[in-house]
Amino acid sequence: MQDNAKQIALYRSEIIEKFINIEKIMNLIISQYYFKKVRIDFLLDVLYNQYSNFALRLEIIKKILPEFDSKIEYDLRKLNVTRNYFAHWDVTLFKNEMGKPSQESYTPHPKNKDKTLDFQESYQEFIEKENEITEYLFEEYKKLGGVFIKESIS
């Protein structure tokens, strides 16, 4: 059980980091569209505001990118749900019979408490889609004139 918890913690950190990157690219797209450049003040004051969220960013992107792929939108929403499961869902229940203690535990699925949330499967689904989504969004950013400056660490 301890090894499983450690693995889930590793999955959790990877998924959250990768989703932060996705949201960063979404923010860059929005800034690039409205200002023809990335404006740090706009990013910090508006898009990184605590009340600015994924749903708002996605709705803005759907409006400013008329050819936005509906499959990408669907996959983005799924990635966000998975990210939320890993970031917020940490309910562990222990299976037992008639009040006897048990070491066997499970995490009920948020959408159906009679099912178990399979973190391994959710992680795999996320990883399979994340790269395609990130590349798609980055290409959209570049189409708007956005540039990426790769800094070398000396």
Side-chain angles (χ1 to χ4, degrees), residues 13 16 20 26 32 41 48 59-60 66 80 92 101 108 113 120 138 144 146 149-150:
S13 62
I16 290 171
I20 287 169
M26 293 171 77
Q32 186 68 32
D41 60 338
Y48 285 116
E59 288 304 308
I60 292 169
N80 185 56
T92 301
K113 66 180 180 349
Q120 173 72 32
F138 193 67
L144 293 169
I149 301 170
K150 196 172 194 175

Side-chain angles (χ1 to χ4, degrees), residues 18 22 96 105 120 142 151:
K18 287 181 180 289
I22 288 170
N96 59 17
S105 67
Q120 173 72 32
K142 291 192 303 189
E151 294 183 34

